[in-house]
Amino acid sequence: MNEIREKILNELKEKVNEVKNIQEFQVLKSKFLGKKGEISNLMKQISKVEKEKRKEFGAFVNNIKKEAEELLNEAFENLKSKIKEEEEKKNWVDITLPGARRKIGYEHILKQTIREVYEIFSNIGYKIVEGPEIETTWHNFDALNTPEWHPARDMQDTFYIKDNIILRTHTSPVQVRTMLTHEPPLAIISPGRVYRKDEPDATHSPAFNQIEGLYIDKNVTVGHLKATLEKFLTMYFGGSRKVLLRPSYFPFVEPGYEVDVDCMFCGGKGCNVCKGTGWIEILGAGLVHPNVLKNVGYDPEIWQGFAFGTGVERIAMLKHGIADMREFYRNDMRFLGL
Ligand code: FA5
């Protein structure tokens, strides 16, 4: 009889170790304890055993059943904790690892450039002011000494909304708006978007940004203008920049200049960027025309001033070595550095 017991229990012990999941466990359990299982078969034989030995045999079979149940219960508990352990291992998170960083956007180079220029000028007492992009022709042209018949108007006479309403073609009308609402002396810079009927190419865009500067005080000379621009360009491009004033014409200044800065790429020796001249054209400037001062109610016998205007894209391209202006507006993530 003991042989039967050992055979059954040894087989169960062996099989129970091979069980990998709940399904396999259920199959094994019914093989031993199920209705047609080995132990049930033994139970069915109890009634066939002689009366005197029946009790002993019954107890024997019940013991086997009890042991088998204990073995299976223990195996089931082990299996459950093994499954739980594996599950935990699979889902384990190392909370000490640094988290996935969220990509933070960068300030666009044009905004960055405007901020840098503003920081430079705010250190020498300039205030930032803004004007509307939709402007009257009077503020954009007439008040700036550019009446309707003036040939200089043709170059910028572009996006009309109504007869006397346009998209501003430069930031210079902010000079007019500021002088109309403020008493002199004053020192302002004004960044903003402007519009012209220019074909887009590597150095032109129909919508671009300018920064206007205006300084009004008594006894202002070209010397003040030159020193201010030298300071600005040195601070913006670094090094020690020289400035060249070339006589030029803008109706709202007299005298007027195209302003060049010594080439920051070759130090003025001549290279591809400065086309061998050693100088790079950077902005338009001049002393505010007496007619403009009169138009805003300032007495030109008392007040003088200088003004300048530069293209934000242009100075940003030079500083960051950007060859094509269109990069600023394409929103290519590689360009934006995101
Ligand atoms: C003016 O707009 C004058 N208002 C500047 C000024 C202000 C002169 C105060 C005197 C006193 P200009 O048209 O040259 O000037 O334009 C100034 C700058 O804007 C240029 O040097 C250039 O950098 C930039 N610019 C002009 N047209 C475009 C364009 N289509 N795309 C991008 N930048 C341009």
Side-chain angles (χ1 to χ4, degrees):
M1 284 222 299
N2 264 342
E3 282 158 32
I4 298 171
R5 179 180 165 273
E6 271 181 20
K7 185 182 165 282
I8 292 176
L9 293 180
N10 282 345
E11 191 191 346
L12 179 58
K13 277 181 200 158
E14 199 178 299
K15 293 256 162 76
V16 104
N17 282 330
E18 292 165 8
V19 162
K20 286 188 211 68
N21 53 42
I22 304 284
Q23 287 91 320
E24 283 180 19
F25 176 82
Q26 295 299 5
V27 172
L28 183 69
K29 189 175 174 181
S30 64
K31 179 172 170 3
F32 285 85
L33 295 177
K35 272 186 192 156
K36 291 178 185 163
E38 293 187 25
I39 294 170
S40 303
N41 287 343
L42 275 181
M43 292 209 138
K44 281 175 203 152
Q45 286 172 35
I46 296 176
S47 57
K48 295 176 194 151
V49 173
E50 299 160 34
K51 219 175 180 182
E52 305 84 71
K53 291 195 176 167
R54 199 176 290 161
K55 199 177 169 194
E56 190 192 345
F57 185 70
F60 166 75
V61 175
N62 269 329
N63 274 341
I64 296 181
K65 190 182 175 209
K66 223 172 121 202
E67 280 185 76
E69 275 170 352
E70 274 166 16
L71 268 172
L72 282 163
N73 282 346
E74 196 189 356
F76 187 63
E77 289 309 313
N78 288 343
L79 183 63
K80 271 201 307 193
S81 44
K82 204 170 122 198
I83 289 170
K84 195 172 162 216
E85 211 173 278
E86 276 168 12
E87 202 62 20
E88 277 173 2
K89 217 187 250 177
K90 212 166 73 186
N91 297 331
W92 183 74
V93 176
D94 183 352
I95 55 161
T96 65
L97 281 177
R101 262 180 213 285
R102 210 173 227 268
K103 281 193 175 174
I104 302 174
Y106 291 87
E107 194 178 32
H108 193 279
I109 297 181
L110 294 177
K111 284 269 175 281
Q112 206 175 300
T113 306
I114 291 169
R115 188 175 42 75
E116 282 172 31
V117 175
Y118 174 58
E119 274 163 17
I120 294 168
F121 278 99
S122 67
N123 277 333
I124 50 173
Y126 280 66
K127 293 270 168 294
I128 195 162
V129 294
E130 285 186 39
E133 288 176 27
I134 296 173
E135 191 50 286
T136 68
T137 46
W138 186 81
H139 289 89
N140 196 84
F141 295 124
D142 304 76
L144 289 165
N145 203 31
T146 321
E148 209 166 353
W149 50 264
H150 201 293
R153 194 148 157 165
D154 280 353
M155 291 189 288
Q156 296 185 10
D157 220 0
T158 54
F159 297 117
Y160 275 79
I161 289 168
K162 280 202 258 166
D163 269 356
N164 59 344
I165 306 287
I166 52 164
L167 293 182
R168 67 177 177 186
T169 59
H170 52 176
T171 42
S172 299
V174 186
Q175 289 184 34
V176 177
R177 287 187 175 273
T178 311
M179 290 190 282
L180 281 171
T181 50
H182 293 77
E183 290 299 318
L186 53 86
I188 56 135
I189 61 158
S190 180
R193 202 171 298 150
V194 304
Y195 303 85
R196 289 186 194 176
K197 209 180 76 186
D198 286 344
E199 288 290 327
D201 64 21
T203 53
H204 292 88
S205 165
F208 61 101
N209 293 271
Q210 285 190 336
I211 297 181
E212 191 81 8
L214 174 70
Y215 180 79
I216 302 283
D217 206 339
K218 288 176 181 161
N219 305 316
V220 179
T221 69
V222 173
H224 296 118
L225 167 66
K226 191 167 184 240
T228 305
L229 293 179
E230 239 159 35
K231 164 96 178 157
F232 159 49
L233 295 169
T234 295
M235 300 281 286
Y236 180 72
F237 287 110
S240 169
R241 304 266 67 96
K242 281 187 288 210
V243 162
L244 178 72
L245 302 185
R246 283 184 291 110
S248 182
Y249 180 74
F250 298 96
F252 35 95
V253 286
E254 179 59 37
Y257 303 99
E258 285 291 353
V259 180
D260 295 352
V261 61
D262 60 322
C263 180
M264 59 292 287
F265 296 95
C266 64
K269 289 193 201 84
C271 68
N272 281 347
V273 182
C274 62
K275 299 187 185 91
T277 63
W279 295 98
I280 296 176
E281 192 181 310
I282 200 88
L283 46 84
L287 295 189
V288 180
H289 197 290
N291 286 349
V292 176
L293 295 172
K294 279 186 216 153
N295 287 339
V296 297
Y298 285 7
D299 183 349
E301 296 300 324
I302 303 172
W303 301 104
Q304 300 83 45
F306 61 75
F308 55 87
T310 188
V312 177
E313 283 80 351
R314 173 136 182 84
I315 60 171
M317 284 167 83
L318 284 169
K319 181 159 175 170
H320 299 282
I322 297 161
D324 193 324
M325 188 176 286
R326 288 165 291 196
E327 293 291 358
F328 288 123
Y329 322 115
R330 277 192 188 123
N331 283 336
D332 185 324
M333 301 287 261
R334 290 163 298 181
F335 175 78
L336 297 175
L338 297 175

